[in-house]
Amino acid sequence: MIRFFLQKLGYSLLTLWGVVTVIFLLFHWLPGDPARMLLDQNENSEQLQLVKKKYGFDQPLGTQYLWYLNDLSPISFHANHAEHYTYFNQSKYQGVSINFSSFTLAFKKPYLRESFQKNISVSSILGNTLPNTFVLATLAMGFAVTFGLLFGMFAALQQNTWMDRSLVFFSTIGMSLPSFFSAILFAWIFGFVLHAYTGLPIMGSLYEIDDYGENSFIAWKNIVLPALVLGIRPLGVITQLTRNSVLETLQQDYIRTAKAKGLNTFQIMRNHVLKNSLNPVVTAVSGWFASLLAGAVFVEYIFGWNGLGKEIVSALNTLDLPVIMGSVLTISLIFILINIVVDFIYAYLDPRLRN
């Protein structure tokens, strides 16, 4: 099991390095000068050179890449010369450092640099927005998994009946609807037309401030519509995957043996069918959960949800490259971590995969 873990960890680190490299090169090959983005309308040649020197934009691309890896690494090396770019000149250092004659060895959390527009660390921005997106994605996936498993098993047990066909039909529609269209449709119907009955707002975030502007509170009603919209597509996928997997499992010989022993349908489903039908569902759930974090951009923007997706849209509009790069890296890291967890779940469900 330890060898299995180390192997997966090595693959994950290699994948993360590849993602970092692609993101760095992609955003540094885009047209536009980051130094000019920082100065905005206050640009002059002297200020431009100072900003380029301060952030290392005057160095060759390879040097900038190494500095970027150095900033992201929890163990990093930094020159003690003030004229060189260094992590210590750009942020409030938090961690342990060991000073040598020409460089400093730092043990720190990954540094995602500073926002061009807000002049605060990207880590702070992610810390304020990512939890809101995580709550939204978790509730959406919980809704999709709960009802997807129930609908899928029910459709399999009622195979070729009108209920089975209806569930397959509606799940297909749910999979084909784009999230931005569903968001607009749900916001208009349940947040505007039927607002007097539902009491659900069109826009709102997880936290709201009271009428006196002193205290904040969690407004759970604001999460209902975005969570439902975000969960529609994975609900359709999980429903059909569960149905097909259960139907395949029900054809196995050990299911016939269980029926011959006198076990009822509930016992067969609980003890034999469900666990042996979960592998494709686990794959779908893991992939979709990570996708929800990345795909919540349109849903958060339409519903005014103060999450990572909305922040990405704002950063794209203002070309705030550090925020965009930090957000993409964070989402990629979440994908990798979820895949590691899924691999361990697979190894638990099927011990043959540990070899």
Side-chain angles (χ1 to χ4, degrees), residues 1-11 344 353-355:
M1 196 67 176
I2 296 178
R3 180 183 176 185
F4 177 79
F5 171 77
L6 293 176
Q7 185 181 26
K8 295 300 178 183
L9 181 62
Y11 288 146
F344 277 97
L353 298 176
R354 301 174 191 172
N355 300 326

Side-chain angles (χ1 to χ4, degrees), residues 43-303:
E43 174 192 335
N44 61 54
S45 58
E46 184 178 351
Q47 288 178 323
L48 191 62
Q49 293 303 319
L50 288 175
V51 169
K52 286 185 175 182
K53 188 172 184 179
K54 177 182 177 181
Y55 290 96
F57 298 146
D58 59 337
Q59 298 296 317
L61 186 63
T63 302
Q64 293 186 50
Y65 172 67
L66 293 177
W67 281 347
Y68 190 62
L69 291 179
N70 202 43
D71 285 345
L72 293 177
S73 173
I75 303 175
S76 54
F77 301 87
H78 303 273
N80 292 332
H81 304 293
E83 66 270 14
H84 293 160
Y85 169 84
T86 172
Y87 162 83
F88 296 102
N89 292 342
Q90 310 302 324
S91 66
K92 295 180 179 179
Y93 176 68
Q94 294 180 347
V96 178
S97 61
I98 303 176
N99 294 317
F100 296 92
S101 58
S102 59
F103 68 93
T104 299
L105 177 64
F107 301 88
K108 59 178 179 57
K109 64 181 181 180
Y111 175 51
L112 298 173
R113 301 191 172 177
E114 309 286 325
S115 167
F116 287 167
Q117 304 298 325
K118 299 181 179 180
N119 293 323
I120 59 176
S121 68
V122 174
S123 299
S124 299
I125 295 174
L126 296 178
N128 292 330
T129 57
L130 185 58
N132 294 343
T133 299
F134 184 81
V135 170
L136 177 61
T138 301
L139 290 179
M141 184 52 66
F143 159 72
V145 170
T146 301
F147 289 95
L149 289 175
L150 291 175
F151 291 161
M153 289 188 291
F154 184 77
L157 293 175
Q158 302 293 325
Q159 185 183 13
N160 296 327
T161 65
W162 68 270
M163 286 185 276
D164 175 33
R165 296 190 184 95
S166 298
L167 287 171
V168 171
F169 173 75
F170 285 112
S171 63
T172 303
I173 292 179
M175 287 188 295
S176 61
L177 282 177
S179 295
F180 69 89
F181 177 77
S182 302
I184 296 173
L185 188 64
F186 272 59
W188 179 68
I189 294 176
F190 298 103
F192 179 72
V193 177
L194 301 178
H195 176 72
Y197 303 99
T198 63
L200 299 175
I202 295 179
M203 300 182 70
S205 193
L206 183 61
Y207 293 96
E208 289 188 352
I209 300 179
D210 60 23
D211 295 335
Y212 300 99
E214 297 177 353
N215 300 312
S216 62
F217 61 93
I218 298 179
W220 290 110
K221 64 180 180 180
N222 293 342
I223 203 173
V224 174
L225 290 181
L228 287 177
V229 169
L230 206 58
I232 287 176
R233 296 184 69 190
L235 171 64
V237 173
I238 293 172
T239 297
Q240 295 211 17
L241 278 177
T242 303
R243 176 187 179 274
N244 295 336
S245 185
V246 168
L247 286 175
E248 182 179 351
T249 304
L250 288 173
Q251 303 301 317
Q252 302 301 316
D253 292 336
Y254 60 86
I255 300 298
R256 299 189 186 95
T257 304
K259 290 179 179 178
K261 290 181 178 180
L263 297 180
N264 57 40
T265 302
F266 176 78
Q267 292 173 321
I268 292 174
M269 294 295 292
R270 182 189 64 187
N271 299 330
H272 301 284
V273 175
L274 187 58
K275 182 177 179 180
N276 292 295
S277 303
L278 281 181
N279 270 4
V281 178
V282 169
T283 304
V285 169
S286 62
W288 271 100
F289 182 77
S291 298
L292 290 184
L293 295 175
V297 173
F298 296 111
V299 174
E300 289 184 358
Y301 186 75
I302 291 172
F303 286 103

Side-chain angles (χ1 to χ4, degrees), residues 25-47:
L25 295 177
L26 177 64
F27 283 100
H28 280 74
W29 283 337
L30 290 176
D33 188 345
R36 287 191 166 91
M37 296 177 191
L38 275 168
L39 291 173
D40 198 16
Q41 302 298 326
N42 303 317
E43 174 192 335
N44 61 54
S45 58
E46 184 178 351
Q47 288 178 323

